[in-house]
C-alpha cells in the first residue's frame, strides 16, 4: 500500500482527493493537514510514502513545508506538489526544496493516481519541457553560477556532463542514447551515477542543478 498524506487548506478538495485515493486498491490516506507546519509535524507521526502538498496556503506554504520535511527527513517521503497553474510562481522553489514534481489541481483521477504511484517508486513526474519553462522563468537572466555547484560539477566525467546537459534540455533516456550513440541501458547507468555523485534525488533536481551551475543557460536550445 502507498501511504499518502493530504495537505491542502481547502477541506472540499481534500475530501475529493481522499475519495479518489480510497477507491484505489493500492493506496491509503494516513492523514490530512490544512497547513504546511502541521504537515511537517505529521510526517514523523504518520510515516507516509507520498505527501500530496498544496503549494499555496495562508500560513506555512508548501515550499517551506517541503523544505522542513527534507531537512528533518532527507530520505523521507516523496513530495508531490499540487498547484492551480502549470507556471505557478512557487513551483520552481518547491522543486528546488526537494519535491519530486508537481501536478495540476484539475488533473483527472486516473492521472492523479498514476502520478502518486510514479513518485512513490522514485520517479519524477514533471514533464521535462514544463520543468525547463519553470527554470528559465526563474533563473533566466541571473548572474554567475553558484560557486558551490561549480565545484560539485567537477566530480562528473566528461560523458556524465554531456548526459546531464541533455537531461536539462528535456531529452529522455532514449533520446539521449540516440544523440550520443549509446544504449539506453548505458544512459540509465550514467543518470544513476550523476544523481549519486551530486547527491540529487531525481531528474528534476538534476535539471535544476544543471541550470544553477551554468552547464545550461536559460533560453539556449542547441
Amino acid at each position: 500500500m502507498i501511504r499518502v498524506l493530504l495537505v491542502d487548506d481547502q477541506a472540499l478538495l481534500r475530501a475529493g482527493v481522499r475519495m479518489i485515493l480510497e477507491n484505489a486498491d493500492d493506496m491509503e490516506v494516513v492523514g490530512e493537514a490544512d497547513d504546511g507546519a502541521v504537515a511537517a509535524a505529521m510526517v514523523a507521526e504518520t510515516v507516509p510514502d507520498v505527501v500530496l502538498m498544496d503549494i499555496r496556503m495562508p500560513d506555512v506554504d508548501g515550499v517551506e513545508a517541503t523544505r522542513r520535511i527534507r531537512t528533518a527527513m532527507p530520505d523521507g517521503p516523496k513530495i508531490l506538489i499540487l498547484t492551480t497553474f502549470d507556471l505557478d510562481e512557487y513551483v520552481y522553489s518547491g522543486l528546488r526544496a526537494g519535491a519530486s514534481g508537481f501536478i495540476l489541481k484539475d488533473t483527472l483521477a486516473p492521472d492523479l493516481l498514476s502520478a502518486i504511484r510514479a513518485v512513490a517508486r522514485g520517479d519524477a513526474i514533471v514533464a521535462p519541457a514544463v520543468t525547463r519553462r519553470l527554470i528559465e522563468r526563474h533563473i533566466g537572466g541571473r548572474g554567475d553560477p553558484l560557486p558551490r555547484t561549480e565545484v560539485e560539477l567537477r566530480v562528473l566525467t566528461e560523458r556524465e556532463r554531456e548526459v546531464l546537459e541533455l537531461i536539462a534540455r528535456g531529452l529522455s533516456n532514449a533520446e539521449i542514447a540516440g544523440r550520443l550513440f549509446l544504449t539506453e541501458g548505458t544512459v540509465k547507468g550514467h543518470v544513476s551515477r550523476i544523481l549519486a555523485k551530486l547527491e540529487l534525488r531525481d531528474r528534476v533536481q538534476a535539471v535544476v542543478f544543471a541550470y544553477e551551475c551554468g552547464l545550461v543557460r536559460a533560453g539556449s536550445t542547441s
Side-chain angles (χ1 to χ4, degrees), residues 85-121:
F85 305 105
D86 67 345
L87 286 180
D88 191 300
E89 60 184 332
Y90 298 113
V91 171
Y92 165 71
S93 299
L95 297 176
R96 193 165 183 267
S100 293
F102 72 93
I103 55 174
L104 303 183
K105 286 190 174 182
D106 61 358
T107 296
L108 298 176
D111 295 331
L112 171 63
L113 297 177
S114 295
I116 293 171
R117 293 183 184 113
V119 297
R121 63 175 178 260

Side-chain angles (χ1 to χ4, degrees), residues 10 19 42 49 56 78 80 86 128 134 141 154 161 167 171 183 194 197 214 218:
Q10 297 180 31
M19 185 179 302
M42 286 184 67
D49 300 303
R56 297 186 181 188
K78 302 297 190 299
L80 186 57
D86 67 345
L134 284 164
R154 296 173 193 163
R161 288 169 66 111
I167 291 172
L171 274 67
T183 67
I194 290 167
K197 285 183 177 182

Side-chain angles (χ1 to χ4, degrees), residues 8-171:
D8 196 290
D9 63 334
Q10 297 180 31
L12 188 60
L13 187 141
R14 292 199 312 274
V17 173
R18 174 183 277 274
M19 185 179 302
I20 293 170
L21 270 55
E22 289 181 341
N23 283 329
D25 295 334
D26 59 344
M27 295 189 194
E28 175 188 5
V29 177
V30 296
E32 297 183 20
D34 60 2
D35 174 73
V38 175
M42 286 184 67
V43 165
E45 301 172 8
T46 59
V47 196
D49 300 303
V50 175
V51 178
L52 200 56
M53 180 78 76
D54 184 20
I55 202 163
R56 297 186 181 188
M57 292 178 283
D59 296 321
V60 174
D61 64 25
V63 174
E64 177 59 24
T66 296
R67 188 175 296 112
R68 292 183 187 184
I69 292 170
R70 281 286 158 262
T71 300
M73 305 177 67
D75 298 320
K78 302 297 190 299
I79 299 173
L80 186 57
I81 289 176
L82 277 171
T83 182
T84 305
F85 305 105
D86 67 345
L87 286 180
D88 191 300
E89 60 184 332
Y90 298 113
V91 171
Y92 165 71
S93 299
L95 297 176
R96 193 165 183 267
S100 293
F102 72 93
I103 55 174
L104 303 183
K105 286 190 174 182
D106 61 358
T107 296
L108 298 176
D111 295 331
L112 171 63
L113 297 177
S114 295
I116 293 171
R117 293 183 184 113
V119 297
R121 63 175 178 260
D123 294 336
I125 58 84
V126 184
V130 178
T131 307
R132 183 176 178 177
R133 291 207 316 272
L134 284 164
I135 290 169
E136 289 183 348
R137 175 178 177 181
H138 291 277
I139 297 183
R142 206 184 62 183
D144 296 332
L146 299 177
R148 185 178 68 85
T149 52
E150 281 184 324
V151 172
E152 289 178 339
L153 190 59
R154 296 173 193 163
V155 304
L156 301 182
T157 66
E158 188 61 34
R159 177 62 84 189
E160 288 165 349
R161 288 169 66 111
E162 288 182 294
V163 172
L164 176 58
E165 180 179 350
L166 294 177
I167 291 172
R169 295 188 189 285
L171 274 67

